[in-house]
Amino acid sequence: DKMFCLDIEQANIESGERNAALNRVGNTEFLRADSFQPLESEHAGRLAKLSGGVDFIVANPPASSGDDGWGFRRRILEEAPGYLKPGGRLLMQWLSYYGTGRALDCIARSQLTWEYEGVCESTDWVELDVGSELLYKQLTQYAEHEKAGGDSFVCHPTAGRNLTACETLRLVDQDESFRPLCKWQTHLFRLH
C-alpha cells in the first residue's frame, strides 16, 4: 500500500515530506497538484494509474474565493469518485459555518454516487480568530454571499440558534472583543 499526498503549495509538500520522515511514515509520495491534476506533467501518469483503485481520500482544502468558500470542496466531491474503489471513502474537513446543506446539494445536483455518512470528528466550539486578516476576509465573503441571495451560513451559536454570517460579521465589527465560535469538523462520504 502506498500513500499519495497532493498539495498545490510547494511549502506544504516540503512540510509533509519532513513530517513523514520525522514520524517514520514510509511508502509515501508527495506531488504538487491542483486538486487531482498534477502540476508537473511527469506526474500525470502516476495519478492516472490510481484510477478506481484508492481505498480512501483525506482532504483538507482551504476556503475558495469568489464563491461561497466551498468551491474547492465541490471540486473534490466531483473528482474523487474517479480515483476511489466502489465503497471507497472520502474524509473532508470544513468549518461548521458551512453546515451540511452544501454537500448534500452538490451530491443531488450532480447526481454523484456519494452517500453522506455525517460528521465523524468535531472539535467543541472554539474561537474563530477574526483578528487574522484571512479569517476576517472569509467571514466578510460569507456575509457578501448571503447578501447576494446565497445559502446562509451556520455561524456563532446563541440563544437556541446559530447566527448567520451577516449577523456574526456585524457583531465582530461592532465589538472588537467579540470572538465568534466555530467547530472544525471532518465529514465522511462513501462512494456507492
Side-chain angles (χ1 to χ4, degrees):
D1 290 339
K2 187 168 192 167
M3 180 169 41
F4 285 84
C5 307
L6 311 175
D7 200 291
I8 197 167
E9 297 292 334
Q10 184 62 36
N12 293 342
I13 293 291
E14 292 167 5
S15 176
E17 289 171 334
R18 283 190 305 274
N19 284 333
L22 285 170
N23 291 292
R24 297 185 178 118
V25 176
N27 211 13
T28 59
E29 188 168 347
F30 292 82
L31 305 173
R32 283 193 62 225
D34 181 3
S35 188
F36 296 96
Q37 304 304 311
L39 296 179
E40 286 84 23
S41 58
E42 66 269 15
H43 295 154
R46 288 187 181 126
L47 287 182
K49 289 178 185 175
L50 299 175
S51 180
V54 175
D55 293 312
F56 66 92
I57 294 172
V58 178
N60 184 12
S64 52
S65 58
D67 61 11
D68 63 353
W70 221 73
F72 291 138
R73 288 166 181 85
R74 285 185 190 91
R75 186 171 171 195
I76 290 168
L77 281 170
E78 292 166 1
E79 295 176 4
Y83 293 91
L84 288 169
K85 294 176 181 177
R89 308 230 186 234
L90 168 66
L91 293 112
M92 189 162 34
Q93 182 278 334
W94 67 76
L95 184 67
S96 59
Y97 286 17
Y98 292 117
T100 58
R102 285 170 175 78
L104 298 174
D105 285 348
C106 180
I107 292 168
R109 286 185 199 169
S110 63
Q111 298 182 355
L112 294 168
T113 58
W114 290 113
E115 180 178 334
Y116 175 68
E117 295 188 340
V119 175
C120 61
E121 288 293 328
S122 180
T123 65
D124 290 329
W125 289 102
V126 296
E127 288 185 3
L128 181 66
D129 182 13
V130 289
S132 154
E133 183 179 333
L134 174 64
L135 293 176
Y136 181 81
K137 183 179 176 183
Q138 287 175 347
L139 182 58
T140 302
Q141 176 183 328
Y142 303 160
E144 289 170 358
H145 180 78
E146 285 178 349
K147 288 177 190 173
D151 292 337
S152 291
F153 288 80
V154 183
C155 298
H156 184 84
T158 183
R161 71 178 189 92
N162 291 80
L163 300 178
T164 65
C166 289
E167 293 168 327
T168 303
L169 182 62
R170 190 173 316 115
L171 285 172
V172 167
D173 288 341
Q174 290 173 353
D175 180 359
E176 65 184 44
S177 67
F178 176 71
R179 296 288 179 259
L181 300 177
C182 70
K183 292 182 180 183
W184 298 100
Q185 299 176 325
T186 302
H187 299 256
L188 181 61
F189 300 84
R190 184 175 54 80
L191 188 64
H192 289 286

